[in-house]
Amino acid sequence: MNKKEFAAGLVLAVVIAMLVMVGWLPLANAVGLLGVACLAWFFRKEGLHRWIKIGVFLCLVPLVFWVATYRPEGFSYPLALSLPGNTEGAPCFELFVNLSKAIVGFCLLFFLWPRLRSDEFIASPIYSFLAALLAPALIVAIAIPVLELHWQPKPVAQMAAFAMVNLFVIASAEEAFMRLLLQQSLRNAVAKVSAHRWLQELFPLLVVTVIFVAIHAGLSGAAVWVYAVAGFLYGLSYTLSNNILYPIMIHFWVNQLHFSLLSYPL
């Protein structure tokens, strides 16, 4: 472990301890987060034996998902915003700052940020730029009729609060999980058994798109088509660029346009 990693680990441990003490992070999640950091650090090591790497991967994936989604009964993360319902009573939507998910995303970004390999495909930057520019509008345009969304602009303060959580919790963490841990790992695994470029890039993209749909919408209902298009375009932007910032940016703008201008939640 180099000095940079040691310093990051120490800061992470202090932050986690402070969040537990103030009641913003469950103790179980704190322990899981330390496990995620250790496994992610070990997983990124070059020259790791193939079967050991597979074993670490099979432990890391469910642990990341559990830490990001588990919330003990009676516990609530800090509330970022609340949308009132049509009638008096419970709000129609509440957005909490899932600190476990945010820290998981940071750990994956820090430890698994892709190192470009000499044999990896990188498309012309113009294609990545066009994907980032056009994909959010395309996804939202498909979602409006399919999900029967209607015009419902939000106050600027609510847009700003949502943007902060959207960027640092939702988009960054989910794309780090989908692209760096799943798609990139599958791409590397396929590359070891096949020199076929299309198979190396297309197989991970399709598999992770199915996983993205299953996590967000299940595998039935109209929302499947919207999440399938979204997941595919997020993954395609990563395939074209090998840069995690592109899918994060597209994911952010899709969520932000939906929340800011249209009926929300679904």
Side-chain angles (χ1 to χ4, degrees):
M1 180 179 293
N2 58 39
K3 292 182 179 179
K4 179 181 176 182
E5 291 172 340
F6 178 79
L10 184 61
V11 170
L12 177 64
V14 171
V15 169
I16 289 175
M18 291 176 61
L19 291 174
V20 171
M21 286 189 291
V22 299
W24 287 3
L25 189 70
L27 181 58
N29 296 57
V31 175
L33 284 168
L34 295 176
V36 167
C38 292
L39 287 174
W41 170 78
F42 193 59
F43 182 71
R44 70 174 290 183
K45 293 175 69 69
E46 297 289 343
L48 200 62
H49 189 279
R50 181 179 62 177
W51 290 109
I52 295 177
K53 198 173 187 71
I54 291 173
V56 174
F57 176 81
L58 293 177
C59 292
L60 184 57
V61 170
L63 181 60
V64 166
F65 187 79
W66 179 83
V67 171
T69 58
Y70 174 70
R71 189 177 73 176
E73 185 177 354
F75 176 86
S76 292
Y77 289 105
L79 180 66
L81 66 87
S82 177
L83 297 183
N86 295 326
T87 59
E88 293 184 5
C92 70
F93 173 73
E94 291 181 319
L95 181 64
F96 295 90
V97 184
N98 185 335
L99 294 168
S100 294
K101 188 173 181 177
I103 297 174
V104 160
F106 165 80
C107 289
L108 295 181
L109 289 171
F110 181 81
F111 288 110
L112 304 183
W113 192 280
R115 301 171 180 174
L116 184 61
R117 301 169 188 266
S118 59
D119 62 336
E120 285 194 270
F121 167 77
I122 298 292
S124 170
I126 188 64
Y127 294 114
S128 300
F129 174 77
L130 288 175
L133 183 66
L134 301 176
L138 176 61
I139 295 166
V140 173
I142 293 173
I144 290 173
V146 173
L147 303 177
E148 299 180 347
L149 304 178
H150 58 271
W151 181 253
Q152 191 182 83
K154 312 300 186 302
V156 174
Q158 290 184 352
M159 292 184 192
F162 184 87
M164 294 295 291
V165 180
N166 182 23
L167 177 60
F168 295 108
V169 179
I170 302 173
S172 295
E174 291 185 8
E175 291 308 315
F177 176 68
M178 291 291 171
R179 310 307 149 202
L180 300 186
L181 185 55
L182 297 184
Q183 188 172 334
Q184 185 64 40
S185 297
L186 286 174
R187 191 268 167 204
N188 293 344
V190 174
K192 291 183 181 300
V193 298
S194 173
H196 197 289
R197 182 73 69 188
W198 280 96
L199 183 61
Q200 293 175 8
E201 305 299 341
L202 189 58
F203 178 74
L205 174 58
L206 295 178
V207 169
V208 177
T209 297
V210 172
I211 295 173
F212 181 87
V213 173
I215 290 175
H216 287 82
L219 295 176
S220 62
V224 164
W225 304 107
V226 177
Y227 282 108
V229 172
F232 180 81
L233 291 178
Y234 299 159
L236 180 62
S237 71
Y238 184 73
T239 297
L240 294 174
S241 66
N242 200 52
N243 187 337
I244 187 63
L245 296 180
Y246 280 99
I248 289 175
M249 180 167 52
I250 297 171
H251 196 151
F252 169 83
W253 279 114
V254 169
N255 290 349
Q256 196 65 35
L257 289 171
H258 179 195
F259 173 84
S260 299
L261 304 177
L262 302 169
S263 50
Y264 196 94
L266 298 179

